[in-house]
Amino acid sequence: MSWVEIFEQTLRLQADSLLFASKNLDAVQISKAIEILYNTCGKVVVSGVGKSGLVGAKIAATLASTGTPSFFLHPTEAMHGDLGMLQKSDSLLAISYSGESEELLVLLPHVKRLGIPIVAMCCSQNCSLAQAANAFLSVFVCQESCPLNIAPMSSTTLTMALGDALAAALIKKRGFGKEDFAALHPGGTLGRQLFVRVKDIMRTHNLPLIPPSMPLKEGIVAMSEGRLGNAILVENNRLCGILSDGDLRRAMMREDFDFAAPCARYATANPLYSDDCDALAVEILRKIESHKIQLLVMTDSQKHVVGVVHLHDLIEAKIK
Protein backbone atom coordinates (compact mmCIF):
# COMPACT_ATOMS: atom_id res chain seq x y z
CA MET A 1 0.00 0.00 0.00
CA SER A 2 1.42 3.39 -1.02
CA TRP A 3 1.62 6.39 1.28
CA VAL A 4 -1.16 8.09 -0.67
CA GLU A 5 -3.35 5.02 -0.26
CA ILE A 6 -2.72 5.05 3.49
CA PHE A 7 -3.76 8.71 3.61
CA GLU A 8 -6.87 7.98 1.55
CA GLN A 9 -7.83 5.04 3.75
CA THR A 10 -7.29 7.00 6.97
CA LEU A 11 -9.38 9.94 5.80
CA ARG A 12 -12.10 7.67 4.39
CA LEU A 13 -12.41 5.64 7.59
CA GLN A 14 -12.63 8.77 9.70
CA ALA A 15 -15.20 10.29 7.34
CA ASP A 16 -17.19 7.05 7.46
CA SER A 17 -17.19 7.21 11.26
CA LEU A 18 -18.57 10.75 11.23
CA LEU A 19 -21.19 9.85 8.64
CA PHE A 20 -22.25 6.75 10.60
CA ALA A 21 -22.60 8.81 13.78
CA SER A 22 -24.60 11.50 12.00
CA LYS A 23 -27.16 8.88 10.94
CA ASN A 24 -27.46 7.33 14.40
CA LEU A 25 -27.97 10.33 16.67
CA ASP A 26 -30.20 9.96 19.72
CA ALA A 27 -32.39 13.06 19.80
CA VAL A 28 -33.53 12.44 23.38
CA GLN A 29 -30.01 12.12 24.77
CA ILE A 30 -28.79 15.09 22.76
CA SER A 31 -31.61 17.24 24.16
CA LYS A 32 -30.76 16.12 27.69
CA ALA A 33 -27.09 16.95 27.20
CA ILE A 34 -27.83 20.40 25.75
CA GLU A 35 -30.24 21.26 28.57
CA ILE A 36 -27.73 20.19 31.23
CA LEU A 37 -24.92 22.26 29.74
CA TYR A 38 -27.13 25.24 28.93
CA ASN A 39 -28.61 25.36 32.42
CA THR A 40 -25.23 25.11 34.12
CA CYS A 41 -24.93 28.18 36.33
CA GLY A 42 -21.26 27.55 37.06
CA LYS A 43 -18.83 26.02 34.61
CA VAL A 44 -18.86 23.00 32.35
CA VAL A 45 -16.00 20.87 33.66
CA VAL A 46 -14.56 18.53 31.03
CA SER A 47 -12.60 15.48 32.17
CA GLY A 48 -10.87 12.49 30.62
CA VAL A 49 -7.54 10.67 30.51
CA GLY A 50 -5.13 9.84 27.71
CA LYS A 51 -6.26 10.81 24.24
CA SER A 52 -9.75 11.48 25.60
CA GLY A 53 -8.22 14.00 27.96
CA LEU A 54 -6.41 15.78 25.14
CA VAL A 55 -9.62 15.96 23.13
CA GLY A 56 -11.46 17.09 26.24
CA ALA A 57 -9.06 19.99 26.73
CA LYS A 58 -9.84 21.14 23.19
CA ILE A 59 -13.59 20.82 23.76
CA ALA A 60 -13.33 22.85 26.97
CA ALA A 61 -11.43 25.57 25.10
CA THR A 62 -14.04 25.64 22.33
CA LEU A 63 -16.92 25.89 24.80
CA ALA A 64 -15.21 28.66 26.76
CA SER A 65 -14.52 30.69 23.61
CA THR A 66 -18.11 30.43 22.40
CA GLY A 67 -20.03 31.56 25.47
CA THR A 68 -20.10 28.49 27.71
CA PRO A 69 -17.68 28.93 30.65
CA SER A 70 -15.63 25.75 30.80
CA PHE A 71 -12.31 24.29 31.89
CA PHE A 72 -10.52 20.94 31.74
CA LEU A 73 -9.95 18.93 34.90
CA HIS A 74 -7.66 15.90 34.88
CA PRO A 75 -9.34 13.17 36.96
CA THR A 76 -6.10 12.07 38.63
CA GLU A 77 -5.26 15.63 39.67
CA ALA A 78 -8.84 16.00 40.90
CA MET A 79 -8.31 13.12 43.34
CA HIS A 80 -5.21 14.84 44.68
CA GLY A 81 -6.58 18.26 45.52
CA ASP A 82 -8.05 19.71 42.35
CA LEU A 83 -11.47 18.41 43.36
CA GLY A 84 -11.78 21.76 45.10
CA MET A 85 -12.18 23.34 41.67
CA LEU A 86 -15.62 21.77 41.38
CA GLN A 87 -18.69 23.68 42.55
CA LYS A 88 -22.25 22.49 43.05
CA SER A 89 -23.32 24.82 40.25
CA ASP A 90 -21.07 23.05 37.71
CA SER A 91 -21.76 20.20 35.31
CA LEU A 92 -19.36 17.46 34.21
CA LEU A 93 -18.67 16.38 30.63
CA ALA A 94 -16.87 13.06 31.13
CA ILE A 95 -15.08 11.45 28.17
CA SER A 96 -13.91 7.84 27.94
CA TYR A 97 -14.30 5.70 24.84
CA SER A 98 -14.59 2.46 26.81
CA GLY A 99 -16.53 4.13 29.58
CA GLU A 100 -14.45 2.11 32.03
CA SER A 101 -11.41 4.34 32.62
CA GLU A 102 -10.61 3.76 36.28
CA GLU A 103 -9.22 7.26 36.84
CA LEU A 104 -12.50 8.76 35.70
CA LEU A 105 -14.80 6.29 37.46
CA VAL A 106 -13.25 6.90 40.88
CA LEU A 107 -14.05 10.59 40.45
CA LEU A 108 -17.78 10.03 39.84
CA PRO A 109 -18.91 9.35 43.45
CA HIS A 110 -17.41 12.68 44.55
CA VAL A 111 -19.08 14.46 41.63
CA LYS A 112 -22.42 12.90 42.50
CA ARG A 113 -21.96 13.83 46.17
CA LEU A 114 -21.94 17.47 45.05
CA GLY A 115 -25.09 16.93 43.00
CA ILE A 116 -23.30 17.79 39.77
CA PRO A 117 -25.07 16.46 36.62
CA ILE A 118 -22.97 14.34 34.27
CA VAL A 119 -22.92 14.14 30.49
CA ALA A 120 -21.00 11.06 29.31
CA MET A 121 -19.27 10.61 25.97
CA CYS A 122 -18.41 6.92 25.49
CA CYS A 123 -18.99 4.01 23.13
CA SER A 124 -21.90 2.24 24.82
CA GLN A 125 -24.85 3.15 26.98
CA ASN A 126 -24.21 -0.03 28.96
CA CYS A 127 -20.75 0.97 30.20
CA SER A 128 -20.16 2.15 33.77
CA LEU A 129 -19.71 5.80 32.84
CA ALA A 130 -22.90 6.00 30.81
CA GLN A 131 -24.87 4.23 33.54
CA ALA A 132 -23.75 6.85 36.06
CA ALA A 133 -24.53 9.78 33.76
CA ASN A 134 -27.60 11.96 33.32
CA ALA A 135 -27.11 12.09 29.56
CA PHE A 136 -25.14 9.93 27.13
CA LEU A 137 -23.57 10.75 23.76
CA SER A 138 -22.25 7.82 21.77
CA VAL A 139 -18.75 8.05 20.28
CA PHE A 140 -18.89 4.49 18.93
CA VAL A 141 -16.93 3.80 15.74
CA CYS A 142 -16.98 0.60 13.70
CA GLN A 143 -13.25 0.76 13.03
CA GLU A 144 -10.32 2.89 14.05
CA SER A 145 -8.34 4.32 11.14
CA CYS A 146 -5.17 3.00 12.77
CA PRO A 147 -3.78 0.17 10.53
CA LEU A 148 -3.73 -2.01 13.64
CA ASN A 149 -7.25 -0.92 14.61
CA ILE A 150 -5.86 -0.18 18.07
CA ALA A 151 -4.77 3.44 18.46
CA PRO A 152 -7.70 5.84 18.92
CA MET A 153 -7.99 7.80 15.68
CA SER A 154 -11.49 7.67 14.27
CA SER A 155 -12.93 7.70 17.78
CA THR A 156 -11.01 10.80 18.84
CA THR A 157 -12.03 12.56 15.62
CA LEU A 158 -15.67 11.72 16.30
CA THR A 159 -15.39 12.82 19.95
CA MET A 160 -13.93 16.16 18.93
CA ALA A 161 -16.63 16.60 16.28
CA LEU A 162 -19.37 15.88 18.82
CA GLY A 163 -17.78 18.41 21.14
CA ASP A 164 -17.97 20.95 18.33
CA ALA A 165 -21.60 19.98 17.76
CA LEU A 166 -22.34 20.64 21.43
CA ALA A 167 -20.67 24.04 21.16
CA ALA A 168 -22.58 24.84 17.97
CA ALA A 169 -25.91 23.93 19.57
CA LEU A 170 -25.14 26.06 22.63
CA ILE A 171 -24.14 28.99 20.41
CA LYS A 172 -27.59 28.82 18.81
CA LYS A 173 -29.42 28.33 22.09
CA ARG A 174 -27.65 31.28 23.76
CA GLY A 175 -28.00 33.56 20.75
CA PHE A 176 -24.24 34.00 20.87
CA GLY A 177 -23.24 36.45 18.11
CA LYS A 178 -20.17 37.89 16.41
CA GLU A 179 -20.00 40.73 18.93
CA ASP A 180 -19.98 38.22 21.79
CA PHE A 181 -17.26 36.20 20.07
CA ALA A 182 -15.18 39.32 19.49
CA ALA A 183 -15.52 40.27 23.16
CA LEU A 184 -13.88 36.97 24.09
CA HIS A 185 -11.22 37.36 21.38
CA PRO A 186 -10.14 41.02 21.61
CA GLY A 187 -6.70 40.16 20.27
CA GLY A 188 -8.07 38.48 17.15
CA THR A 189 -8.94 40.03 13.78
CA LEU A 190 -12.67 40.06 14.48
CA GLY A 191 -12.13 41.56 17.91
CA ARG A 192 -10.08 44.40 16.46
CA GLN A 193 -12.68 44.99 13.74
CA LEU A 194 -15.55 45.24 16.22
CA PHE A 195 -13.88 47.04 19.11
CA VAL A 196 -10.95 49.21 18.03
CA ARG A 197 -12.17 52.74 17.36
CA VAL A 198 -10.50 55.66 15.65
CA LYS A 199 -10.01 57.54 18.93
CA ASP A 200 -7.98 54.58 20.21
CA ILE A 201 -5.28 54.87 17.54
CA MET A 202 -5.43 58.34 15.98
CA ARG A 203 -2.53 60.76 16.41
CA THR A 204 -3.37 63.88 18.39
CA HIS A 205 0.01 65.43 19.24
CA ASN A 206 2.64 67.29 17.22
CA LEU A 207 0.43 67.46 14.16
CA PRO A 208 1.78 69.43 11.17
CA LEU A 209 -0.83 72.21 11.33
CA ILE A 210 0.01 75.24 9.21
CA PRO A 211 -1.82 78.40 8.11
CA PRO A 212 -2.88 78.61 4.44
CA SER A 213 -0.69 81.70 3.99
CA MET A 214 2.52 79.96 4.98
CA PRO A 215 5.10 80.05 2.17
CA LEU A 216 5.44 76.72 0.41
CA LYS A 217 9.11 76.45 1.39
CA GLU A 218 8.17 76.56 5.08
CA GLY A 219 5.23 74.23 4.47
CA ILE A 220 7.58 71.60 3.06
CA VAL A 221 9.67 71.84 6.23
CA ALA A 222 6.51 71.36 8.32
CA MET A 223 5.60 68.30 6.21
CA SER A 224 9.03 66.79 6.79
CA GLU A 225 8.96 67.44 10.53
CA GLY A 226 5.45 66.02 10.86
CA ARG A 227 6.53 62.74 9.24
CA LEU A 228 3.06 62.14 7.85
CA GLY A 229 3.74 63.03 4.23
CA ASN A 230 1.17 65.80 4.63
CA ALA A 231 0.67 69.23 6.13
CA ILE A 232 -2.79 70.21 7.39
CA LEU A 233 -3.99 73.71 6.55
CA VAL A 234 -6.09 75.31 9.28
CA GLU A 235 -7.65 78.68 10.03
CA ASN A 236 -8.64 79.15 13.68
CA ASN A 237 -7.86 75.43 14.02
CA ARG A 238 -10.55 74.64 11.44
CA LEU A 239 -9.63 72.39 8.55
CA CYS A 240 -9.38 74.19 5.23
CA GLY A 241 -6.97 72.08 3.19
CA ILE A 242 -4.25 69.45 3.00
CA LEU A 243 -0.88 69.70 1.32
CA SER A 244 0.27 66.20 0.41
CA ASP A 245 3.34 64.76 -1.29
CA GLY A 246 1.17 64.31 -4.36
CA ASP A 247 0.09 67.95 -4.27
CA LEU A 248 3.73 69.00 -4.04
CA ARG A 249 4.77 66.87 -7.03
CA ARG A 250 1.90 68.22 -9.11
CA ALA A 251 2.78 71.78 -8.04
CA MET A 252 6.33 71.38 -9.31
CA MET A 253 4.94 70.66 -12.77
CA ARG A 254 3.02 73.94 -12.85
CA GLU A 255 4.33 77.01 -14.65
CA ASP A 256 3.46 79.22 -11.67
CA PHE A 257 5.39 77.05 -9.19
CA ASP A 258 6.97 79.28 -6.57
CA PHE A 259 8.54 78.31 -3.23
CA ALA A 260 7.48 81.70 -1.90
CA ALA A 261 3.82 81.23 -2.84
CA PRO A 262 1.31 80.40 -0.08
CA CYS A 263 0.68 76.72 0.54
CA ALA A 264 -3.03 77.25 -0.13
CA ARG A 265 -2.24 77.79 -3.82
CA TYR A 266 -1.11 74.18 -4.26
CA ALA A 267 -2.99 72.37 -1.47
CA THR A 268 -6.14 70.29 -1.83
CA ALA A 269 -9.06 72.44 -0.74
CA ASN A 270 -12.02 70.81 1.05
CA PRO A 271 -10.18 67.51 1.68
CA LEU A 272 -11.85 64.34 2.87
CA TYR A 273 -12.23 64.23 6.66
CA SER A 274 -14.35 62.59 9.36
CA ASP A 275 -15.96 64.09 12.45
CA ASP A 276 -16.77 60.71 14.01
CA CYS A 277 -13.92 59.78 16.36
CA ASP A 278 -16.06 56.97 17.76
CA ALA A 279 -16.18 55.28 14.36
CA LEU A 280 -14.71 51.80 14.13
CA ALA A 281 -11.15 51.82 12.86
CA VAL A 282 -12.08 49.28 10.19
CA GLU A 283 -14.67 51.73 8.80
CA ILE A 284 -12.03 54.44 8.49
CA LEU A 285 -9.73 51.96 6.77
CA ARG A 286 -12.43 51.27 4.18
CA LYS A 287 -12.84 55.02 3.61
CA ILE A 288 -9.09 55.52 3.20
CA GLU A 289 -8.83 52.59 0.80
CA SER A 290 -11.84 53.62 -1.29
CA HIS A 291 -10.51 57.17 -1.77
CA LYS A 292 -6.92 55.96 -2.30
CA ILE A 293 -5.43 58.28 0.30
CA GLN A 294 -2.99 57.67 3.15
CA LEU A 295 -4.16 60.19 5.72
CA LEU A 296 -7.60 61.09 7.07
CA VAL A 297 -8.07 64.16 9.23
CA MET A 298 -10.38 63.77 12.23
CA THR A 299 -12.37 66.80 13.39
CA ASP A 300 -15.12 67.73 15.81
CA SER A 301 -18.58 68.79 14.64
CA GLN A 302 -17.27 72.32 14.02
CA LYS A 303 -14.49 71.06 11.76
CA HIS A 304 -11.81 71.79 14.36
CA VAL A 305 -8.89 69.39 13.86
CA VAL A 306 -8.59 66.90 16.74
CA GLY A 307 -6.33 64.27 15.20
CA VAL A 308 -5.31 62.26 12.14
CA VAL A 309 -5.35 58.61 11.16
CA HIS A 310 -2.61 57.39 8.84
CA LEU A 311 -2.83 54.20 6.83
CA HIS A 312 0.35 53.00 8.55
CA ASP A 313 -1.34 53.42 11.97
CA LEU A 314 -4.14 51.11 10.85
CA ILE A 315 -1.69 48.55 9.49
CA GLU A 316 0.34 48.58 12.72
CA ALA A 317 -2.87 48.10 14.71
CA LYS A 318 -3.58 45.07 12.47
CA ILE A 319 -6.88 46.48 11.28
CA LYS A 320 -7.95 44.59 8.16
Side-chain angles (χ1 to χ4, degrees), residues 132-148:
N134 303 90
F136 159 74
L137 297 177
S138 175
V139 293
F140 171 78
V141 295
C142 298
Q143 181 180 350
E144 295 287 2
S145 56
C146 165
L148 303 175

Side-chain angles (χ1 to χ4, degrees), residues 33-44 63-64 66-70 91 166-177 180 184:
I34 294 299
E35 288 303 315
I36 289 173
L37 302 185
Y38 176 75
N39 291 315
T40 298
C41 297
K43 291 180 171 59
V44 174
L63 290 172
T66 53
T68 300
S70 179
S91 60
L166 282 172
L170 291 167
I171 286 172
K172 285 290 187 180
K173 192 169 181 63
R174 296 185 192 284
F176 189 85
D180 302 303
L184 298 178

Side-chain angles (χ1 to χ4, degrees), residues 81-103:
D82 284 359
L83 193 63
M85 299 169 69
L86 290 175
Q87 302 294 318
K88 293 182 178 180
S89 56
D90 296 336
S91 60
L92 178 69
L93 178 59
I95 306 172
S96 167
Y97 184 76
S98 67
E100 302 296 342
S101 298
E102 183 178 352
E103 300 93 333

Side-chain angles (χ1 to χ4, degrees), residues 18 51-52 55-56 59 95-97 121-122 138-141 153-166:
L18 293 175
K51 304 300 186 295
S52 294
V55 172
I59 292 174
I95 306 172
S96 167
Y97 184 76
M121 297 179 74
C122 40
S138 175
V139 293
F140 171 78
V141 295
M153 293 184 180
S154 298
S155 58
T156 51
T157 298
L158 175 57
T159 304
M160 190 174 295
L162 286 175
D164 288 340
L166 282 172

Side-chain angles (χ1 to χ4, degrees), residues 230-241:
N230 295 262
I232 304 166
L233 278 60
V234 294
E235 280 188 312
N236 299 320
N237 200 39
R238 293 183 58 158
L239 177 67
C240 62

